[in-house]
Amino acid sequence: MADPEPNTDVALFPSPLGRLRNVSDTTGELRRILDDLGFDWVSSHTFRKTVATRLDDAGFSARVIVDHLGHERPVDDAGHLHGAQRRLRRRC
């Protein structure tokens, strides 16, 4: 399957051809890089949880965090907020 057409307004890390990256290719590449660097415990999900926690710590609303992470309901992302789970649930 070919890469979708480029959208430079959305792609933070475009493919070498300037298009959106294929998710499975990117996940595999990230896994290899993290393993080579000795971060075998880190996954793409680790980054997602960190983003959610940082946004919560910065005072963003649950709705903004959920929109950023791409979930429809705040409860879907409650588990991503390590120490802030209760605050997120109260805001919902």
Side-chain angles (χ1 to χ4, degrees), residues 19-30:
R19 300 172 188 261
L20 295 177
R21 290 180 175 269
N22 176 290
V23 174
S24 61
D25 291 345
T26 302
T27 301
E29 187 176 346
L30 178 62

Side-chain angles (χ1 to χ4, degrees), residues 27-46:
T27 301
E29 187 176 346
L30 178 62
R31 176 77 276 137
R32 281 188 301 280
I33 291 167
L34 290 169
D35 289 347
D36 289 349
L37 293 171
F39 292 104
D40 56 335
W41 57 272
V42 175
S43 70
S44 56
H45 194 71
T46 307

Side-chain angles (χ1 to χ4, degrees), residues 47-70 77 80-82 84 87-88 91:
F47 293 113
R48 183 180 184 80
K49 290 189 290 187
T50 301
V51 167
T53 301
R54 296 296 220 155
L55 290 172
D56 185 67
D57 289 347
F60 286 93
S61 71
R63 173 57 25 208
V64 169
I65 295 170
V66 168
D67 288 347
H68 185 74
L69 295 177
D77 284 304
H80 293 296
L81 302 171
H82 300 216
R87 284 198 319 267
L88 176 66
R91 286 188 215 153

